[in-house]
Every structure is written in C-alpha cells, then in structure tokens.
Amino acid sequence: MGVTIRDVARIAKVSISTVSRVLNDKCNVSEDKRVRVERAARDLGYIPNPAAQSLHSSRTGSLGVLLPFVSGEFYAEFLNGVDKTAQNGDWLLMISTSHNSEDELRAALKGMYRRVDGLLIMAPNITAESVLMQPHDDIPVVFVNTRCEDEAISLITFDNHGGMREMTRHLIATGHTRIGFIRGPVLAFDAAERERGYRDAHREAGLTVNEELIVPGKYSQQSGHDGAVRLLGMDPRPTAIMASNDDSAIGALSAIREAGLDVPSDVALTGFDDVPSARFTVPPLSTVHVPVRELGARSIEVLMECIKTGQISRLPHQTMDVELRIRKST
Amino acid sequence: MGVTIRDVARIAKVSISTVSRVLNDKCNVSEDKRVRVERAARDLGYIPNPAAQSLHSSRTGSLGVLLPFVSGEFYAEFLNGVDKTAQNGDWLLMISTSHNSEDELRAALKGMYRRVDGLLIMAPNITAESVLMQPHDDIPVVFVNTRCEDEAISLITFDNHGGMREMTRHLIATGHTRIGFIRGPVLAFDAAERERGYRDAHREAGLTVNEELIVPGKYSQQSGHDGAVRLLGMDPRPTAIMASNDDSAIGALSAIREAGLDVPSDVALTGFDDVPSARFTVPPLSTVHVPVRELGARSIEVLMECIKTGQISRLPHQTMDVELRIRKST
DNA sequence: TAGTTTCATGAAAACCTTTTCATGAACCTG
DNA sequence: CAGGTTCATGAAAAGGTTTTCATGAAACTA
C-alpha cells in the first residue's frame, strides 16, 4: 500500500540498513549513497511507518490527555495550553473524556495502553491513588487538579481553598455578612476545597456560616442560574452571591438581572477561574484568576520532562498561585 | 517489558496461534483450551500491543481531528460532539490545531500519517482541495466548514450565508436601516459567507450597504469589543450591531454597556453560533443557532461510515440547517 | 474396512523498522 | 610488507501480532 523503506532501498540501489542509517544516524555512510537515499526518499514521499517504529522502540510519540469534559471555557483554555506546549515539543495528543466516571476513566486508560508515552489526567472527583495501578505501570503519569496524598505521584494543582478564602474575605471586608454560596459538583475535590475556603474565611472573621445559604450547583451556567434563583427567593436575601466557578456565576448573573436586581448595588457576585468571558460580562466579573492555560502548559512540560529523563513520576507536588481579580461585580 | 501473547501462551500451555484464535475468531478451538487461554489472559492482565496489531492490519483504531483552534466555546462544543460520538464507536481521538496556518496543517497531517484511520478537518480559510493531496491518499477524509467545490470530497457545512441573511432581514423588519457589522477573520470562508448574507439581505430590501458600517474583527471577544467601540463612535451611530459570531457579540455587549447605552433600546445586538453562553448574557443574545455539537457528531458519524465501508470519501456534500433564536437583544 | 472429510493445533510467514553482527576492503603503523 | 585498525555495507534478528499452511487425529461415508 504505502511506500516502505524497501522501496526507498530499491530505488536508491542500497540495502534497507543503509536507508535506515541515512534517515536516522547519519553516520558511517558514504556521501554517494547518502544523496541517493535522500533523493529516493524525497521523490517517493517516504514517511516511516510509526507502528513499525513503535513496535521496535516502544515509543509512540503521543501523549494521552484525560479530562472530565472537553466543553466549557475552562477545559478549552486548559487544552489550549496543553496543545501549544505539546506541539512545540513535537508530540501528538490523544484526548479522551471521563465525564467524571471512574469506569469511563479506566476504559479510556485501557484504550490508551501502549498508544501513548505519558499520561496527563485531570479527575477532580476521583483520587489519583485509585486510578494509578492498572495497566500503565511503566509510563509517566501527571495528575492535575486531582485529590492525591501520595507524594510519589506527580501532581499539579492550584490553590482552590486559598483563592476562595481570599475572595470571601474581600466580600466580608466590604461589609457583606449574608453571602450566598453556589456549590460545585458534590464529589468534586476542587468544589469541596472552594467551599472550605468560604467556610474558613467566615470562621476567621468570627462569622457563623448559615447553612441555608449554601445551595447546590454543578459548575454549569444553568445550575448557577437555578442556584441564584433559589438564593434570591430567600428572605432576607443575601447581599452577595459567590459562585463556585465563572460558568455558574454567568448563569447567576442572568438570574439576578431577570429578578430586576442590579449587580453590584443590590447583589454582589463573584466567580472562580477567570475564564476569558469573565472580562466581558456586564458588569465585568470579580473572580479568582486561575492560570488555566499555564496549568495545561506546565503539566505537559512536566510530563515531557519525565519522559525525557525516564522518570516514572517522582516530582514534588506543585501548586500554582491564584489571585483575586476584583472587577465591577463587587 | 509488558505481558505479550507469548506469555499467555506459555501459561495456558498452548501455541500463540491458539491464543490469538481465542481472543479473536473464537472458532475452531476446543473448550478446554479456550478456558485456559481466557483465564491466563485475564490473570496476566494481557492487552494486545496496538503497534503490533496496527503493523499487521494497518488499522490504528484512532481518528485524527484537525481544528483551527481548540479554545473558545464554539470549538469546545464541536469537540464535545466529536468526542461523544467517537467514544461510542470505540475510537480514540488524535487532536491537533492548525491556527489557520496551512503549514501547520500540513505538518499535523504529516505527523498523523499512519497513526489514524480517518481524518476530520476544519479549515475555514484554506480550500479543501489544496490540502487533500499529500500523504493521506488512502484514508477517508471529511471536511467541515471548509471552502470546497470538489463534489468528490466529503464535506459538511452549515448555512453561514442564509443564517446571517435571515438575521439581517429580522433587523430590517424591525425598523433598522443603519446596521453595523463586525466582520470575522479576513481569510475565513465562513466569515465571508456571513458578510455576504448581510449584504444580500440589504440588497433584497432595496437598501445600499454603507461600507463604513462594516468593521474588521477576528471572532474574538476582544475584537468584538473594539469593533463595537468603533461603531459607537460614528455619527450618527448605528441602531443595531451584528457581530459575526457570539464571542464578538459578547465583547460588543460589554462595549455598549461601557458607553452607557442599553441593549436593545439604544442599540440592538446579534450574534452567530448560539454558543451556550448566549442564553445567559444580559440581555439574552439574539443569535443564529448553529447545531455545533451535532455538527461534530455528524462529522464523526460520516467518517466512521466511510471507514466501515472502505470508501475514500465520495459522499454528497451536506449542509446543516441553522435557525434564528430571537431573544432579548433585538 | 478403506477412503474421505472435518477439525484442532502449532509452525512459520508477513507486517516495517532499527540495530547488531559479520564481512571485506581500504587504510595505518612499525 | 605483515598485522592491526577503521569503516562502509548488507544480512539477519527482534519487536508482537494475525493469518496461512501443513499435520495428524478423529469423525464420517460407502
């Protein structure tokens, strides 16, 4: 079917060993044959068969990326960083989603067996430890934003707890005491951390958390909308609403406006993540900036580094800083 | 390193041929050996080496997806449909981006040579014909939202022109005659089609297009913001602004609000794509609904079908319908 | 019972590379 | 000039799977 190394050898009138040498080592081959081989390869449009290369070298040239979802600005930005960095390093990306299901994660993992040289896994509602056994015992794995206590596992996170605590402090400092909180998914590690930040800031300020003000959410715009509707229906209603991420803040914003209220004069509103849209809401959203793209880039850098040095993930856990972006919604 | 078919054969005390038969054909093998093999495979956690399988069968089990970008809600939604459909069909995805550069596209194409069984390409500012030669002569290729005249090339698009014409008609019907237009990227096929829709609706209504009212943009929120600032600075200013996509409409919306104007009473605003956020802007955005996720899903379905039937893309061009979603911004 | 068919089984080839090994030829060195 | 070294080259093995082919035993048919 395709053109193989034999074809090149035949046209160049040399052995396939020589062709391979020219195309790889570039040493110990006469000038004469080198040009013949290079010319034949170019004329035929020869590209080595990656399956054969991989079979021999057990390298694939691909990285596996496993995310909970692929839609939404957060993941899109993350992928942006991942993609750019991988492309620079000349790696191909194999991408799959788990929908936060451990079974799907395992299935994807199995599907990528021997198809990738390293794995990047984001699984906020599964522990890294529970996933890591399984077939991939001999390639580096880097976890991102995942619950993980084992220091021997490579992990990169950002400060979910600290970011939300800071933001809560900011609201308390500007006089709010009745602050609604729209949670993230029940099982998500990062959602729990964010809620913990909300609680800790209250405690530090000597305020007790009114459990009624914490309503469920799913990080989606729709769930943020619904959560805000619920909070606004309370009497007295909260003077501020903290959404667990920007998407739900955007949903909450539309609910607040539908109720005929103004942000921030009637209700202050905050998000988390600082997705690109957060700058362009009306009013611009005060939120916790997470370096999402850099997070993706860094994760791939670490993974590439592990592969290069042959390490099966023994890097210290890294936590990326977040910072408040106070705009006009508070 | 890993466990191979030989190991299974050794443990089960049969030949490797028998192991392969058990794991594939399932015919012509005695019950006795079958259970021994199945048991050994399970105990050892055997997974066939995909490189070896691919070398033999020249199947990879992967699909290549080439997009201009990966960030932004549009691509994220598209990927969502792609991912779900591929996962259902038990295909892995190899994803890469071209950044609208023909060179990058070619490089990615070359990188995917023999690594995928089919290709999905979205390249709005390149023609399908110019890309299609190159190494991939023997696998199916499906183009999406790409300029393509050759009927022998598989293509799936949506009605960029008709959608924008309809939306323009809607604005004209509600009394607008001075309608600003924020373009998309200069070389993008779909951006040109959308502009053509804007112009055609004007012509049909007997209006001449004021070229000054057409300002450049890049489909991004920032460029939409800048475009709107420019349009609002005109005297008299337009009574409506059409953005070429939702992202730039979101940017324009923030610019309009910064100028102290109201949507829609001072300025009407429209988008294109109907990304998830469009429902949650304030006010909710009138836009042209594009079935983005279905587009991704359909493209993969077509690709899988081509692969199954062994066709190298001879399907008739398909155009998916778009429809107006009139919300509160007009 | 002799001859034929069916069937389970293992050996070996093929897929395409890369790399090791063996073979000579050409080149030094004392 | 004899012995040793360097170097270009091709043959062959290895990597793990699937598939074809050959073998021989068991099962049928006349």
Side-chain angles (χ1 to χ4, degrees), chain A residues 60 83 87 97 115 221 277, chain B residues 60 83 87 97 115 221 277:
Chain A
T60 64
D83 174 68
Q87 216 155 359
T97 55
R115 279 178 219 260
Q221 292 164 339
S277 285
Chain B
T60 65
D83 175 67
Q87 215 153 0
T97 54
R115 277 180 220 259
Q221 292 164 338
S277 284

Side-chain angles (χ1 to χ4, degrees), chain A residues 41-112:
Chain A
R42 193 161 20 82
D43 290 354
L44 292 170
Y46 170 69
I47 302 179
N49 183 320
Q53 288 181 313
S54 167
L55 184 57
H56 187 269
S57 66
S58 55
R59 293 276 169 77
T60 64
S62 306
L63 303 178
V65 177
L66 268 153
L67 303 178
F69 300 96
V70 77
S71 58
E73 285 192 270
F74 181 86
Y75 297 109
E77 277 300 294
F78 183 82
L79 271 183
N80 195 354
V82 164
D83 174 68
K84 188 189 298 184
T85 313
Q87 216 155 359
N88 280 343
D90 228 19
W91 288 91
L92 279 170
L93 290 178
M94 200 137 243
I95 298 176
S96 197
T97 55
S98 67
H99 307 100
N100 276 331
S101 143
E102 190 158 345
D103 286 345
E104 283 190 54
L105 181 60
R106 279 198 203 294
L109 233 37
K110 186 170 169 186
M112 288 189 180

Side-chain angles (χ1 to χ4, degrees), chain A residues 102-328:
Chain A
E102 190 158 345
D103 286 345
E104 283 190 54
L105 181 60
R106 279 198 203 294
L109 233 37
K110 186 170 169 186
M112 288 189 180
Y113 177 72
R114 305 264 138 178
R115 279 178 219 260
V116 296
D117 298 338
L119 277 167
L120 176 54
I121 302 179
M122 190 192 299
N125 60 354
I126 305 175
T127 70
E129 288 86 347
S130 76
V131 166
L132 208 55
M133 28 273 301
Q134 296 317 325
H136 299 274
D137 44 357
D138 53 0
I139 61 171
V141 180
V142 172
F143 282 89
V144 180
N145 197 35
T146 298
R147 181 179 278 126
C148 171
E149 317 230 303
D150 186 346
E151 283 291 332
I153 295 176
S154 295
L155 172 70
I156 303 181
T157 41
F158 48 91
D159 194 356
N160 289 288
H161 169 261
M164 196 58 101
R165 190 180 51 183
E166 279 296 312
M167 184 57 96
T168 311
R169 281 179 186 158
H170 161 69
L171 285 176
I172 293 174
T174 51
H176 296 277
T177 54
R178 192 168 165 76
I179 304 172
F181 187 83
I182 303 173
R183 276 210 81 211
V186 184
L187 297 173
F189 142 83
D190 49 2
E193 283 291 287
R194 292 174 196 186
E195 180 181 342
R196 195 163 64 81
Y198 167 86
R199 290 177 184 277
D200 285 357
H202 277 77
R203 180 172 30 240
E204 288 166 13
L207 298 169
T208 57
V209 171
N210 179 348
E211 297 296 332
E212 199 186 28
L213 287 177
I214 300 183
V215 300
K218 296 194 288 191
Y219 277 168
S220 69
Q221 292 164 339
Q222 185 64 53
S223 77
H225 178 99
D226 300 347
V229 166
R230 195 160 145 188
L231 287 168
L232 295 175
M234 295 178 181
D235 186 24
R237 65 159 189 262
T239 60
I241 294 179
M242 302 186 76
S244 280
N245 73 341
D246 287 353
D247 271 352
S248 42
I250 287 170
L253 180 58
S254 88
I256 297 170
R257 284 308 185 78
E258 280 167 12
L261 300 170
D262 182 68
V263 174
S265 66
D266 294 320
V267 185
L269 177 67
T270 69
F272 201 113
D273 286 346
D274 195 22
V275 298
S277 285
R279 229 179 308 265
F280 294 99
T281 56
V282 182
L285 186 66
S286 293
T287 187
V288 179
H289 176 78
V290 178
V292 190
R293 203 166 42 215
E294 290 79 359
L295 187 70
R298 174 82 66 88
S299 313
I300 290 293
E301 278 164 15
V302 168
L303 191 54
M304 295 191 304
E305 184 62 22
C306 286
I307 293 172
K308 205 170 73 178
T309 62
Q311 262 174 33
I312 308 294
S313 72
R314 296 279 131 164
L315 275 69
H317 290 190
Q318 297 180 33
T319 301
M320 300 190 76
D321 288 336
V322 301
E323 57 183 59
L324 256 46
R325 287 275 200 282
I326 304 304
R327 299 202 175 98
K328 308 282 186 173

Side-chain angles (χ1 to χ4, degrees), chain B:
Chain B
M1 332 167 71
V3 30
T4 76
I5 198 172
R6 319 190 83 87
D7 300 318
V8 179
R10 190 164 37 77
I11 300 296
K13 299 197 203 304
V14 295
S15 71
I16 58 173
S17 331
T18 301
V19 177
S20 180
R21 262 190 295 262
V22 171
L23 269 37
N24 301 309
D25 309 327
K26 303 251 174 203
C27 75
N28 279 1
V29 50
S30 69
E31 191 59 20
D32 165 40
K33 309 211 168 176
R34 160 172 304 149
V35 303
R36 261 160 47 204
V37 167
E38 277 167 352
R39 168 143 191 209
R42 193 159 24 79
D43 290 352
L44 292 170
Y46 169 69
I47 303 179
N49 184 319
Q53 288 181 312
S54 168
L55 183 58
H56 186 269
S57 66
S58 55
R59 294 277 169 77
T60 65
S62 308
L63 303 178
V65 177
L66 269 152
L67 303 179
F69 300 96
V70 77
S71 57
E73 286 193 271
F74 180 86
Y75 296 110
E77 276 300 294
F78 183 82
L79 270 183
N80 196 353
V82 163
D83 175 67
K84 188 188 300 184
T85 313
Q87 215 153 0
N88 280 343
D90 227 20
W91 289 92
L92 279 170
L93 289 179
M94 200 138 243
I95 298 177
S96 198
T97 54
S98 67
H99 307 100
N100 276 331
S101 142
E102 189 158 347
D103 287 344
E104 283 191 53
L105 181 60
R106 277 196 205 296
L109 233 38
K110 187 171 170 187
M112 288 188 179
Y113 177 72
R114 304 264 141 179
R115 277 180 220 259
V116 296
D117 297 339
L119 277 166
L120 176 54
I121 303 178
M122 190 193 300
N125 59 354
I126 305 176
T127 68
E129 288 87 347
S130 76
V131 167
L132 208 55
M133 30 269 305
Q134 297 316 326
H136 298 274
D137 44 357
D138 52 1
I139 62 171
V141 180
V142 172
F143 282 88
V144 180
N145 195 35
T146 299
R147 180 178 279 124
C148 170
E149 316 230 303
D150 187 345
E151 283 291 332
I153 295 174
S154 295
L155 173 70
I156 302 180
T157 42
F158 49 90
D159 195 356
N160 289 289
H161 170 261
M164 197 57 101
R165 190 179 53 183
E166 278 297 313
M167 185 57 96
T168 312
R169 280 180 187 159
H170 161 69
L171 285 176
I172 292 173
T174 50
H176 295 278
T177 54
R178 191 166 165 76
I179 304 173
F181 187 84
I182 303 173
R183 277 208 85 216
V186 184
L187 297 172
F189 142 83
D190 48 2
E193 283 291 287
R194 291 174 196 187
E195 180 181 342
R196 195 163 66 80
Y198 168 86
R199 291 177 182 277
D200 284 357
H202 277 77
R203 180 171 32 240
E204 288 166 13
L207 298 169
T208 57
V209 171
N210 179 347
E211 297 295 333
E212 200 187 26
L213 287 176
I214 301 183
V215 301
K218 297 195 287 191
Y219 276 168
S220 69
Q221 292 164 338
Q222 186 63 54
S223 78
H225 178 97
D226 299 347
V229 167
R230 195 159 146 187
L231 286 167
L232 295 175
M234 295 179 181
D235 185 24
R237 66 160 190 262
T239 61
I241 293 180
M242 302 186 76
S244 279
N245 74 340
D246 287 353
D247 271 352
S248 42
I250 287 170
L253 180 58
S254 88
I256 297 170
R257 283 310 184 78
E258 281 167 12
L261 299 171
D262 182 68
V263 174
S265 67
D266 294 319
V267 186
L269 178 66
T270 68
F272 201 112
D273 286 346
D274 197 21
V275 297
S277 284
R279 225 179 311 265
F280 293 100
T281 57
V282 180
L285 187 66
S286 294
T287 188
V288 178
H289 176 77
V290 177
V292 189
R293 204 165 43 216
E294 290 79 358
L295 187 70
R298 173 82 66 87
S299 311
I300 290 293
E301 277 165 15
V302 168
L303 192 53
M304 295 192 304
E305 183 63 23
C306 286
I307 293 172
K308 205 171 72 179
T309 62
Q311 263 174 33
I312 308 293
S313 73
R314 297 277 130 166
L315 274 70
H317 290 190
Q318 296 181 32
T319 302
M320 299 190 76
D321 287 336
V322 301
E323 56 184 59
L324 255 46
R325 288 276 201 279
I326 303 305
R327 300 202 176 98
K328 308 282 186 171
S329 70
T330 55

